[in-house]
């Protein structure tokens, strides 16, 4: 398994995710946004952060960077793409995933650990979550409030493309357990071919029991398979 | 242009100082030169009122690599690692424009740290606001918090700790103190001292605009009718550019291109170039036409005094310019060779082929005035008799009132706006006694705390200064770390007033005693005087940033209760000192009396005892007893651990109120498992450490025998209510 | 009455967002763009028929809330 982490100016979880990938023996390379093409990779990660300061709209400007064309090509050829936080916002701005991420409902940046329910484990990213479907992960974002029109939303739900939903400790999905106002408590979605995942929570930040949990490691173990 | 008395005054210089300038440089300064003197000789750059006393603070121990005088202090944290840290104030700009003021405060302190070659790994902050009912407070609070978050979150450095306080003394003078901590290899530390003449001087980062030229700019605007648009402006922070500057600098620092490097902070290009030259005993020559400018027709005066953010000054080894330029261009930053070092020991500025300023470096730096200001000793307040009615307040109601007061409320409303976990090494976040950050890729960590206690300092500065150092030390002990050193941010009023200068002198005296006794030296810091509006001055507020080392993270301690049926030990003596306590302030409503005294012998003894017990793995949880006293500390332990406790007041000569709410110093509350109880008792007795067993942990409820019984759930609700209701959120 | 207000950073205040948008547009090939400044646009419905009074109110809220006049300018347009 080989991965590439794209580094945009203003990415700031690029090192964190590289550490996680390497910890689970996925051979990783950092790729500068201004490169014309990707090295040979099975997985491309768009990391969290504030690419281009999140100026204009989060992810908008990174969506226009040089490397993105090759990322799109990689995705269309069935290669795996994982967008975390700002990476999810970039996937949406490039049109690889539908909908939009609005500002959090309380209009504030939100950094805390939340519970997330794994809705779909039938994909390369989440297969190891079969035995643990309510997990704890940190979120840290200002624009994570997922919104889509009725048709798009229905399509996501009907085709089982919603992977993660915010929930409480016992797995209940409701308004109280929704930290940012996302429609249907959506925290992460797939494309119809299930090779592109965008998610707001940060699995790379919980890969060690000393960091108050390791539910994030399960994703990297799934990818390694 | 003729320099009139009025122009001199507008530059914050008095006539005595002006005459000294003329004497030092042997001519009358032109406007540009006057501006440069005004920047270098002001309190912020010259420390002219504080220097005499700052010198008395201990600045060395076995672990100190670099003390005060550099961009930041550096300590040895074993192996090949060193920690770089500093605190700085950004009070006035934050009052004018809370978001940008706080944001640029964070940006500035981060640059101080990465200038030294360190990658920043954490920031902390101490922010003080006026009374929560004051009409400005709400906007200032939300603006400052989002400004701190806005900058730190974007650049991707976790904000892991801090304090938020309210007091009417800050109604018109809020305090925003930001601390940054960075990690560097011991052999890769960069300094600001220039070396060698004829070396290229390089400007990197953002372009220069007319930002923050403050009063000086107002003065200059008067001279020119066409400068209506040149009103003073608050600096706008650009964390995105700072992130690029950080990465570019660290990339260039990988080899030996850089001789010296200095952040352009306060007084921008002026102070950075002069400090580098002064430390290297060299001169510097700058061609101002080479300065990258954001706006048209900027004058030399504006370029030299601009406080535009995200800029650095470098001196490179000759021949390294091309490689350096390539790196900065890659990151999309400005790069310009603006001059060279010289051996003439002068600052020479050229513009449009003319020499526009020529000043001896020494006149601007080492010859700057130092004042021995008059000061008045504070009187120790008398222990007047406590208000008769204080026992009429029920204990449980008093506890609730303290826990739901703005100052003692749980502050996740604030902390959740800060990214606390980016970089993946945050082991203990805000809300513990100290934050704990793992050293990347290792099993050791550093503990970080930031503390102030202006009520104690206002009441009696000598004790206040001592207490706050001790409290920082205690907070580091409580998480199981070894305290190493501090950085201090000294926020005071107008030093030209004897009372204020006295507060400063005596706070320093107290700090010195504690720092010396606890082997806890000051390695960096900042003084902020003149926190005064309309003759209303703030309470003396020294803020202490403390740093400690945890050699093995497995020994890290937290304060949430861990298990049912374990014993609660109160370590240290309770004499029942209620004066200046939260109980008297929040519940009874009186501010009289002296602060609790600190016995440094007990402080050290109790602290080392706690640390040893933690290392022996005999304790489940540890919390230092500070603001609010023992009952508040216990409630916090219950809240954090979601476990209850049943306690009994030992038979003592003091009232229950005094036992439960006194703020006697050097005390800790610790949780001990049944299986370890005997051992702990034995060790404490053997070492003559005073302790009392006050009760046991239990399920769900906090009980005080014969007094009250309250569900932990209710404590949680009470403690977390205030911020949300203040901002009308549910 | 419908009134709009546009708040922008003052001419000489750094606009990080505008700077990045400008640079990106250049990278996308729009080489003749020389500057971009970003601002905020407000549309306000007001129960007031007197233009002057309405303008005065909006002016006041621009000063008190919508802008920070230390770093921002604003312009008001009455749209009816």
């Amino acid at each position: 398994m080989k991965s590439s982490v794209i580094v945009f100016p203003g990415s700031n979880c690029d090192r964190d995710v590289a550490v996680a990938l390497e910890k689970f023996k996925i051979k990783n390379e950092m790729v500068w946004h201004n490169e014309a093409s990707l090295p040979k990779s099975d997985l491309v990660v768009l990391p969290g952060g504030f690419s281009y300061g999140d100026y204009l709209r989060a992810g908008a400007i990174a969506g226009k960077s040089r490397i993105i064309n090759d990322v799109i090509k990689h995705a269309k050829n069935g290669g795996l793409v994982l967008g975390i936080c700002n990476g999810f916002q970039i996937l949406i701005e490039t049109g690889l995933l539908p909908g939009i991420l609005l500002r959090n409902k309380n209009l504030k940046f939100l950094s805390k650990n939340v519970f997330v329910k794994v809705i779909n484990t039938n994909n390369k990213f989440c297969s190891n979550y079969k035995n643990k479907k309510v997990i704890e992960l940190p979120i840290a974002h200002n624009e994570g409030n997922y919104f889509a029109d009725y048709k798009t939303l229905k399509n996501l739900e009907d085709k089982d493309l919603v992977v993660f939903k915010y929930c409480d400790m016992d797995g209940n999905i409701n308004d109280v357990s929704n930290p940012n106002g996302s429609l249907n408590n959506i925290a992460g979605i797939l494309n119809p071919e299930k090779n592109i995942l965008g998610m707001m929570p940060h699995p790379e930040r919980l890969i060690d029991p000393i960091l108050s949990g390791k539910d994030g490691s399960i994703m990297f173990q799934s990818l390694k398979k | 242009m003729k320099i009139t008395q009025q122009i001199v005054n507008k530059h914050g210089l008095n006539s005595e100082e002006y005459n000294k300038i003329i004497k030092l440089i042997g001519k009358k300064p032109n406007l540009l030169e006057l501006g440069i003197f005004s920047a270098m000789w002001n309190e912020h750059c010259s420390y002219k009122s504080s220097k005499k006393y700052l010198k008395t603070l201990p600045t060395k121990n076995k672990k100190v690599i670099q003390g005060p005088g550099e961009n930041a202090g550096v300590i040895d944290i074993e192996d090949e690692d060193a920690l770089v840290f500093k605190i700085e104030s950004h009070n006035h700009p934050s009052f004018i424009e809370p978001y940008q003021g706080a944001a640029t405060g964070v940006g500035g302190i981060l640059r101080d740290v990465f200038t030294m070659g360190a990658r920043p790994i954490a920031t902390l902050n101490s922010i003080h606001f006026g009374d929560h009912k004051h009409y400005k407070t709400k906007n200032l609070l939300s603006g400052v918090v989002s400004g701190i978050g806005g900058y730190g979150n974007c650049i991707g450095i976790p904000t892991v700790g801090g304090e938020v306080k309210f007091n009417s003394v800050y109604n018109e003078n809020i305090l925003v103190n930001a601390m940054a901590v960075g990690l560097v290899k011991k052999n890769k530390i960069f300094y600001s001292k220039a070396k060698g003449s004829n070396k290229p001087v390089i400007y990197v980062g953002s372009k220069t605009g007319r930002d923050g030229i403050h009063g000086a700019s107002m003065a200059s605007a008067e001279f020119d009718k066409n400068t209506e648009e040149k009103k003073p402006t608050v600096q706008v922070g650009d964390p995105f550019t700072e992130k690029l500057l950080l990465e570019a600098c660290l990339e260039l620092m990988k080899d030996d291109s850089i001789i010296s490097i200095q952040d352009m902070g306060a007084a921008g290009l002026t102070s950075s170039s002069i400090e580098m030259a002064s430390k290297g005993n060299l001169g510097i020559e700058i061609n101002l036409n080479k300065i990258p400018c954001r706006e048209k027709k900027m004058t030399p005066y504006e370029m030299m005094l601009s406080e535009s953010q995200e800029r650095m000054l470098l001196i490179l080894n000759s021949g390294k310019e091309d490689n350096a330029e390539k790196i900065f261009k890659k990151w999309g930053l400005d790069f310009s060779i603006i001059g060279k070092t010289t051996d003439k020991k002068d600052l020479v500025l050229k513009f449009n082929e003319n020499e526009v300023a020529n000043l001896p470096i020494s006149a601007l730096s080492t010859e700057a005035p130092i004042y021995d200001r008059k000061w008045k000793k504070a009187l120790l307040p008398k222990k007047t008799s406590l208000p008769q009615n204080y026992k009429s307040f029920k204990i449980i109601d008093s506890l609730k009132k303290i826990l739901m007061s703005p100052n003692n409320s749980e502050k996740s409303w604030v902390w959740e706006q800060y990214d606390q976990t980016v970089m993946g090494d945050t082991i203990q976040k805000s809300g513990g006694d100290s934050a704990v950050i793992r050293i990347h890729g290792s099993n050791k960590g550093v503990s970080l705390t930031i503390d102030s206690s202006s009520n104690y300092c206002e009441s009696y500065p000598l004790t206040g200064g001592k207490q706050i150092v001790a409290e920082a030390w205690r907070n580091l002990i409580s998480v199981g770390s070894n305290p190493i050193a501090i950085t201090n941010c000294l926020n005071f009023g107008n030093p030209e007033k004897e009372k204020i200068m006295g507060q400063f002198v005596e706070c320093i005296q107290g700090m010195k005693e504690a720092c010396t006794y606890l082997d806890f030296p000051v390695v960096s810091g900042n003084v902020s005087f003149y926190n005064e509006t309309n003759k209303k001055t703030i309470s003396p507020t020294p803020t202490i940033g403390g740093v400690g080392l945890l050699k093995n993270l497995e020994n890290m301690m937290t304060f949430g209760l861990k298990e049912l049926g374990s014993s609660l030990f109160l370590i240290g003596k309770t004499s029942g000192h209620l004066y200046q306590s939260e109980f008297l302030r929040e519940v009874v409503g009186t501010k009289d009396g002296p602060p609790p005294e600190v016995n440094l012998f007990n402080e050290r003894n109790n602290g080392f005892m706690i640390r040893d017990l933690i290392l022996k793995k005999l304790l489940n949880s540890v919390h230092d007893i500070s603001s609010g006293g023992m009952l508040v500390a216990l409630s916090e332990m219950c809240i954090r651990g979601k476990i209850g406790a049943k306690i009994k007041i030992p038979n003592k000569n003091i009232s229950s109120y005094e036992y439960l709410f006194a703020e006697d110093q050097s005390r800790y509350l610790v949780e001990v498992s049944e299986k370890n109880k005997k051992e702990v008792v034995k060790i404490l007795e053997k070492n003559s450490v005073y302790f009392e067993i006050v009760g046991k942990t239990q399920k769900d409820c906090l009980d005080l025998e014969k007094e009250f019984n309250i569900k932990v759930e209710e404590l949680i609700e009470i403690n977390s209510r205030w911020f949300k209701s203040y901002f009308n959120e549910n | 009455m419908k009134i709009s207000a546009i708040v922008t950073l003052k001419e000489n205040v750094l606009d990080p967002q505008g700077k990045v948008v400008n640079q990106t547009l250049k990278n996308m090939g729009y080489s003749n763009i020389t500057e971009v400044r970003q601002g905020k646009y407000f549309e306000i419905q007001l129960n007031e028929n007197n233009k002057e009074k309405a303008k005065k109110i909006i002016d006041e809220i621009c000063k008190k809330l919508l802008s920070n006049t230390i770093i921002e300018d604003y312009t008001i347009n009455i749209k009816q």
Side-chain angles (χ1 to χ4, degrees), chain A residues 9-16 19 32 50-53 55 108-113 138 140 205 208 210-211, chain B residues 153-154 156 238-240 243-244 331 413 416-427 438 440 553 729:
Chain A
S11 291
N12 62 32
C13 305
D14 45 333
R15 183 194 76 175
D16 305 356
V19 167
W32 184 238
F50 285 65
S51 55
Y52 297 92
Y55 297 153
K108 290 198 311 258
F109 190 93
L110 197 56
S111 162
K112 62 191 227 179
N113 281 10
R205 292 193 194 178
D208 198 331
I210 201 167
L211 298 166
Chain B
N153 299 345
C154 180
D238 181 359
F240 171 58
K243 168 75 174 165
L244 305 181
W331 289 97
W413 184 90
E416 285 178 359
Q417 296 187 54
Y418 305 147
D419 192 337
Q420 303 180 57
T421 50
V422 62
M423 298 184 90
D425 286 310
T426 306
I427 313 291
R438 175 171 59 186
H440 193 68
L553 282 170
E729 295 170 9

Side-chain angles (χ1 to χ4, degrees), chain A residues 14-179:
Chain A
D14 45 333
R15 183 194 76 175
D16 305 356
V17 77
V19 167
L21 291 162
E22 278 152 21
K23 179 167 177 173
F24 295 95
K25 309 275 184 288
I26 296 170
K27 204 169 167 316
N28 182 56
E29 211 168 309
M30 305 304 268
V31 180
W32 184 238
H33 71 110
N34 211 19
E35 300 288 332
S37 61
L38 287 167
K40 198 175 149 13
S41 348
D42 308 293
L43 166 69
V44 172
V45 182
L46 305 181
F50 285 65
S51 55
Y52 297 92
D54 271 2
Y55 297 153
L56 194 59
R57 288 184 310 279
I61 291 175
K64 303 277 175 245
S65 61
R66 197 165 175 216
I67 192 73
I68 284 296
N69 295 325
D70 216 36
V71 174
I72 294 173
K73 214 159 85 191
H74 165 87
K76 300 271 172 189
N77 290 334
L80 296 175
V81 179
L82 170 61
I84 301 167
C85 198
N86 194 225
F88 186 11
Q89 293 160 344
I90 296 168
L91 286 174
I92 280 183
E93 283 287 341
T94 53
L96 286 171
L97 290 173
I100 184 137
L101 290 156
L102 304 172
R103 274 187 84 181
N104 297 343
K105 69 177 169 195
N106 65 5
L107 303 180
K108 290 198 311 258
F109 190 93
L110 197 56
S111 162
K112 62 191 227 179
N113 281 10
V114 294
F115 289 99
V116 174
K117 190 162 187 175
V118 190
I119 307 290
N120 178 341
T121 54
N122 190 19
N123 61 74
K124 290 253 170 58
F125 304 93
C126 299
S127 54
N128 280 20
Y129 284 115
K130 282 197 178 86
N131 301 321
K132 187 172 190 193
K133 293 200 172 160
V134 175
I135 58 173
E136 191 181 356
L137 290 176
I139 52 169
H141 59 248
N142 203 22
E143 286 98 1
N145 178 355
Y146 187 80
F147 180 83
D149 59 35
Y150 174 77
K151 226 175 96 187
T152 309
L153 194 65
K154 188 166 182 308
N155 188 51
L156 286 173
E157 294 281 12
D158 288 351
K159 297 211 169 124
D160 208 11
L161 301 176
V162 177
V163 187
F164 298 114
K165 287 190 177 186
Y166 300 108
C167 64
D168 64 18
M169 203 187 216
D170 305 313
N172 301 308
I173 297 162
N174 51 34
D175 279 354
V176 184
S177 60
N178 186 340

Side-chain angles (χ1 to χ4, degrees), chain B residues 380-449:
Chain B
L380 181 66
K382 288 217 165 58
K383 289 188 178 179
T384 48
S385 55
L386 291 169
Q388 283 305 307
N389 65 346
Y390 85 87
K391 287 181 188 168
S392 66
F393 298 91
K394 277 190 167 167
I395 289 177
I396 182 65
D397 295 342
S398 307
L399 174 65
K400 285 183 183 173
K401 196 155 185 198
I402 295 173
L403 288 178
M404 67 170 95
S405 67
N407 280 324
N408 296 287
S409 282
E410 195 267 345
K411 299 189 173 60
S412 50
W413 184 90
V414 174
W415 298 325
E416 285 178 359
Q417 296 187 54
Y418 305 147
D419 192 337
Q420 303 180 57
T421 50
V422 62
M423 298 184 90
D425 286 310
T426 306
I427 313 291
Q428 220 181 121
K429 307 185 210 179
S430 300
D433 282 335
S434 296
V436 176
I437 301 292
R438 175 171 59 186
I439 297 304
H440 193 68
S442 80
N443 192 35
K444 67 182 175 189
V446 288
S447 54
L448 312 167
T449 181

Side-chain angles (χ1 to χ4, degrees), chain B residues 91 126-129 170 173-177 491 531 538 541:
Chain B
N91 304 340
S126 164
I127 50 184
H128 289 68
F129 299 93
Y170 306 108
N173 286 283
I174 64 168
L175 302 184
V176 174
N177 295 175
N491 307 280
N531 289 287
I538 61 162
T541 314

